[in-house]
């Protein structure tokens, strides 16, 4: 059992870190597209979302700024985790 966990530590790390991603992305998209409709989670609207992530489209909206900064941090950790996997995780 311990060997199985050791062999799949990267998969386990990605799954654990990825579980709340849909929740955070949903909150961020609802702020960006200014809707509370659940269908925003399945629509493939990306241009405004990318502009909002890397830019500042609602500078006066503090909820947007907090969500954007947290989402950036969350994705940065994902990038770091993936980088460690690329450099150290391959057998």
């Amino acid at each position: 059992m311990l060997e199985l966990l050791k062999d799949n530590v990267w998969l386990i790390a990605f799954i654990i870190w990825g579980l709340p991603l849909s929740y955070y992305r949903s909150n961020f998209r609802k702020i960006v597209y200014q809707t509370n409709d659940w269908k925003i989670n399945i629509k493939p609207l990306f241009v405004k979302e990318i502009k909002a992530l890397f830019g500042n489209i609602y500078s006066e909206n503090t909820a947007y700024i907090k969500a954007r900064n947290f989402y950036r941090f969350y994705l940065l950790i994902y990038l770091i985790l993936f980088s460690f996997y690329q450099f150290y995780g391959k057998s």
Side-chain angles (χ1 to χ4, degrees):
M1 180 68 174
L2 191 57
E3 190 67 30
L4 180 67
L5 290 175
K6 183 180 173 187
D7 291 342
N8 295 312
V9 69
W10 290 107
L11 177 64
I12 294 167
F14 280 116
I15 289 173
I16 288 173
W17 191 253
L19 285 175
L21 177 63
S22 61
Y23 175 76
Y24 297 138
R25 185 165 185 246
S26 172
N27 285 343
F28 183 68
R29 289 187 92 179
K30 285 178 181 179
I31 293 171
V32 169
Y33 294 107
Q34 297 178 343
T35 183
N36 278 331
D37 193 12
W38 66 271
K39 290 178 266 181
I40 195 66
N41 298 323
I42 57 174
K43 288 185 179 181
L45 308 171
F46 298 116
V47 175
K48 191 173 182 182
E49 184 179 359
I50 296 299
K51 286 180 184 178
L53 184 62
F54 293 112
N56 193 7
I57 62 173
Y58 303 122
S59 59
E60 69 283 345
N61 188 345
T62 58
Y64 156 72
I65 298 206
K66 287 175 72 174
R68 182 198 62 190
N69 290 342
F70 182 79
Y71 195 47
R72 283 179 179 173
F73 170 75
Y74 188 84
L75 293 176
L76 178 68
I77 299 298
Y78 238 129
L79 181 65
I80 291 169
L81 190 61
F82 183 72
S83 298
F84 275 114
Y85 169 71
Q86 286 295 317
F87 291 117
Y88 303 113
K90 294 184 178 180
S91 305

